[in-house]
Amino acid sequence: MARLHNLIITGLLLVLLVDWTVSSIPAEELHASYWNTKGKQALDMAMNMKPKIHRAKNTILFLGDGMGVTTVTATRILKGQLAEQNGEETSLAMDTFPYLALSKTYNVDQQMPDSAGTATAYLCGVKANYGTLGVTAAINPNDCSSAEANKVMSVLYRAKMAGKSVGIVTTTRVQHASPGANYAHTVSRRWYSDSDLPPGSAERGCKDISYQLVHNVEINVILGGGRQYMFPNNTIDPEYPSERGDRLDGVDLTAEWLRGKTNARYVWNKAEFDKVDPDKTDFLMGLFEPKDCRYEMERDPLTDPSLTEMMDKAIKILRRNPKGYFLFVEDDGRIDHGHHGGRAKRALLEAVQFDRAIEHAASMTQELDTLSVVTADHSHVFAFGGHAPRGNPVLGVSSGLARDKKHFTNAVYGNGPGYIEGNIRPDMNESISMGDEYKQQAAVPKDSETHGSEDVAIFAKGPMAHLFHGVQEQSYIAHVMAYAACIEPYVDCGLEPVGGHAVSFHPSLLLLLTGLLLALLSLRSA
C-alpha cells in the first residue's frame, strides 16, 4: 500500500514536470489592475487586524524540525504543484497566520544549533547548550547528576500544573530531542534508554529519557514512535519479530504509565488506534514504530496513522478539559531527517503533510481561544534557485546550463552525502531528480548534511499572537506562550479569559454604531 501511494505521488510529480516553460500563466497577472487589487485587499486586511488581548485557553505549538525559510518556500510551491497549479502563488496554512517574527536559533555554546538546545529554548524559555535537554548551560556535561540542580521546566509542565491537559504528537520517536524537552532533564539527548546511560550513571541517580517520559509529568496524550526504548531487551516487538526492546532494567514502561490511570489506553498499530473513543479516553499512548515513524511517502496507511490523524485524536481528547490544553505537534523530525540524508523529496513531502495538519487543526479549533504557533528549531544548508521559469518543478532542473554545459537541479545542499566524488558531476534530468532515493548535489562531502545557522520564522494566530514581532531570541517563544496562557511565571498576567471581559469593537464599527444612534435620536426628536 505504501509503495502504491508513493508511485502515485511520483507519477503526479512527473506529469507536472512536462515542459513547465509553457505552463499557463494566468492572464489577469499580466495587468496592473490584478496586482493593485491584491495589494489593496492585503492592505485592507492589515488595517483591520485587531489583536486578541485576552487569555488563551488552549495553546498548540507546531514544530517543523529543520523547517527553515527556504524549506517553507519550496514546500509552498510543491503543495501548489501537487494541486496542479504553478505553485508560487499558493498559500500554506501557516502563511495565513497574521503575525510573523524571526527567531535566532544559536545555542549558548554553538553557532550552529541542534534540536535539543533549541527545544529547551522554545519550550522552557531558557537557551541551552548543544545536545542538552531541559537544563541550563551551567550543567557539567561530564556529570549527569548536574542536571537536577540546573533543570528548567517546560510550558507543557507548567500547563499541567495549572490544571490543563497536555499532549505530544510527533513523527519521530517520542524520546527524540524536540518532544523530549517537554518533560526531560538530561545532559545528553542520546540517552533514550537505560542501556544508553554511561557506566555509573544509574548509581548517581541519573535517569534515561524514556523513564522521565513516564515519571516526570503526567502527559495525557503521547503519540509517535519509540516503543523499543519502553520495553525490556527480552521483549519481542509485536510488529517486527526480529527486533526486541532495549531496556536493561527489565521494566515495561508502558505498563508503568498505565498503572493508576483510569480511561487509559496503550496502542501500537492503526487498528487499535482507530478503536480509541476520544470521548471516553483521558490518557492515550500510541507508539507505532520501534524508533522513528516512517516517512510519509513510505507510511502504510493501514498500519500507521498519519500526523494529521494522530493530532486529530489528541485534540479531541485534550479539549474535553474545561481548563484547556497545551499540545506539542512535530512532523519536522522527518523533515529534518530527509534533509540530513540529502533527499529533498522526502523532506518536502513531509513538510506538505505538516502543513495539512496545521490546516486541519484550524478546522478543529477557534482562533478566539486558541493560540497557535508554528516555528522551526533550526534550518538546513538547503538552497533553492537557479534559472527557472514560473511553475518550474521544485524537484526539477534549471532551464539553463551550468558552466560545464550540464543541467543542474534547482534544489541543492551546501554539504551532505550528495557530493560528487572526483568533481565530475553527471548531467541531470527530471527522471533522475524525481527518484525516491535521489540525493541532491552538495558542494562539500559529508555523510550527513548539517543544520543551518540562520534565523527561522515564527507564525502565530490567536490570543496574544501579536506579541510575536521583529527578531527575537528563540527562548522568547516560551515566554509568549506562558504569558498568553497565564501560567508560571505569568500567573498574574492580568488577562481575562475570553468571554470574561467587556466586548471590544473595531473603531470603524464604533463609528457606525454612533452614527446609527444619532440618526435614531434625530428621528425621535422630529
Side-chain angles (χ1 to χ4, degrees), residues 91-106:
S91 288
L92 295 169
M94 66 186 85
D95 291 337
T96 66
F97 286 26
Y99 298 100
L100 183 69
L102 289 177
S103 166
K104 296 191 284 185
T105 63
Y106 66 92

Side-chain angles (χ1 to χ4, degrees), residues 6-79:
N6 190 26
L7 287 173
I8 292 172
I9 291 177
T10 301
L12 177 58
L13 289 173
L14 286 172
V15 168
L16 296 173
L17 287 168
V18 177
D19 198 1
W20 281 87
T21 59
V22 294
S23 62
S24 176
I25 296 176
E28 60 268 22
E29 293 189 16
L30 303 178
H31 305 287
S33 58
Y34 172 79
W35 300 105
N36 287 332
T37 299
K38 283 184 70 69
K40 290 175 182 177
Q41 290 172 343
L43 182 61
D44 183 63
M45 288 181 64
M47 293 178 68
N48 284 281
M49 279 175 55
K50 189 170 186 290
K52 294 175 174 59
I53 305 178
H54 53 258
R55 188 179 305 182
K57 178 183 178 181
N58 314 309
T59 304
I60 305 178
L61 175 60
F62 296 94
L63 193 281
D65 197 323
M67 191 182 69
V69 173
T70 305
T71 298
V72 172
T73 303
T75 300
R76 179 188 303 127
I77 297 173
L78 178 58
K79 187 177 182 180

Side-chain angles (χ1 to χ4, degrees), residues 191-206:
W191 295 349
Y192 301 127
S193 166
D194 63 341
S195 65
D196 298 317
L197 293 173
S201 298
E203 290 73 14
R204 294 200 300 274
C206 302

Side-chain angles (χ1 to χ4, degrees), residues 53 64 113 146 204 275 308 313 320-321 333 398 407 517:
I53 305 178
S146 68
R204 294 200 300 274
K275 292 177 183 177
T308 301
K313 187 87 73 176
R320 293 168 52 226
N321 187 337
S398 171
H407 296 89
L517 181 60

Side-chain angles (χ1 to χ4, degrees), residues 358-371:
I358 296 169
E359 186 175 15
H360 184 68
S363 71
M364 300 182 68
T365 58
Q366 295 182 354
E367 195 172 333
L368 188 64
D369 66 0
T370 302
L371 172 63

Side-chain angles (χ1 to χ4, degrees), residues 203-499:
E203 290 73 14
R204 294 200 300 274
C206 302
K207 301 297 183 182
D208 60 274
I209 296 171
S210 294
Y211 179 94
Q212 295 187 55
L213 170 66
V214 172
H215 292 92
N216 280 6
V217 57
E218 188 178 67
I219 303 174
N220 297 80
V221 178
I222 304 170
L223 298 173
R227 63 175 177 255
Q228 170 181 318
Y229 312 108
M230 306 292 282
F231 292 96
N233 59 9
N234 60 355
T235 300
I236 297 175
D237 187 85
E239 188 174 8
Y240 308 103
S242 63
E243 298 192 27
R244 282 172 166 73
D246 200 58
R247 303 197 63 78
L248 301 178
D249 57 13
V251 176
D252 176 351
L253 287 177
T254 64
E256 283 211 6
W257 183 80
L258 290 168
R259 188 175 297 122
K261 294 181 172 68
T262 57
N263 302 321
R265 292 284 305 278
Y266 165 71
V267 299
W268 62 269
N269 60 41
K270 178 72 157 51
E272 293 180 351
F273 174 80
D274 288 343
K275 292 177 183 177
V276 174
D277 184 349
D279 293 329
K280 298 179 181 179
T281 304
D282 296 324
F283 298 91
L284 174 62
M285 177 185 286
L287 304 177
F288 303 104
E289 290 290 334
K291 294 183 179 179
D292 298 321
C293 294
R294 295 182 179 275
Y295 286 101
E296 179 60 22
M297 61 186 287
E298 298 174 345
R299 180 180 65 87
D300 187 340
L302 297 179
T303 60
D304 295 328
S306 68
L307 176 71
T308 301
E309 290 170 328
M310 291 191 289
M311 183 202 66
D312 179 280
K313 187 87 73 176
I315 291 176
K316 287 176 179 175
I317 293 172
L318 299 178
R319 70 186 181 187
R320 293 168 52 226
N321 187 337
K323 292 186 178 181
Y325 61 82
F326 172 86
L327 177 61
F328 174 85
V329 181
E330 179 202 28
D331 179 271
D332 33 58
R334 300 307 266 161
I335 298 172
D336 180 65
H337 295 167
H339 279 319
H340 278 309
R343 295 182 173 98
K345 181 178 181 179
R346 295 188 179 214
L348 298 182
L349 286 174
E350 288 295 315
V352 170
Q353 175 66 17
F354 181 56
D355 192 67
R356 286 172 178 159
I358 296 169
E359 186 175 15
H360 184 68
S363 71
M364 300 182 68
T365 58
Q366 295 182 354
E367 195 172 333
L368 188 64
D369 66 0
T370 302
L371 172 63
S372 298
V373 181
V374 180
T375 191
D377 46 357
H378 55 74
S379 66
H380 278 266
V381 290
F382 172 64
F384 172 66
H387 300 287
R390 174 73 175 275
N392 198 74
V394 171
L395 298 170
V397 300
S398 171
S399 59
L401 299 177
R403 194 173 62 183
D404 59 5
K405 306 302 181 184
K406 297 176 183 177
H407 296 89
F408 59 94
T409 57
N410 295 101
V412 295
Y413 288 98
N415 60 53
Y419 175 80
I420 306 300
E421 298 292 343
N423 205 28
I424 301 176
R425 65 183 194 90
D427 200 4
M428 185 53 55
N429 61 58
E430 289 84 359
S431 65
I432 298 174
S433 65
M434 284 301 305
D436 293 344
E437 302 301 320
Y438 177 70
K439 298 174 183 177
Q440 269 69 23
Q441 293 174 8
V444 176
K446 292 279 291 182
D447 291 335
S448 176
E449 179 264 2
T450 70
H451 296 165
S453 302
E454 73 271 21
D455 300 346
V456 297
I458 309 169
F459 305 84
K461 68 175 181 177
M464 310 308 293
H466 64 285
L467 296 179
F468 288 106
H469 69 101
V471 180
Q472 303 288 349
E473 295 286 359
Q474 195 166 44
S475 50
Y476 177 71
I477 296 171
H479 286 269
V480 174
M481 292 190 297
Y483 180 79
C486 296
I487 59 177
E488 290 291 347
Y490 303 108
V491 175
D492 299 323
C493 64
L495 299 173
E496 293 289 340
V498 61

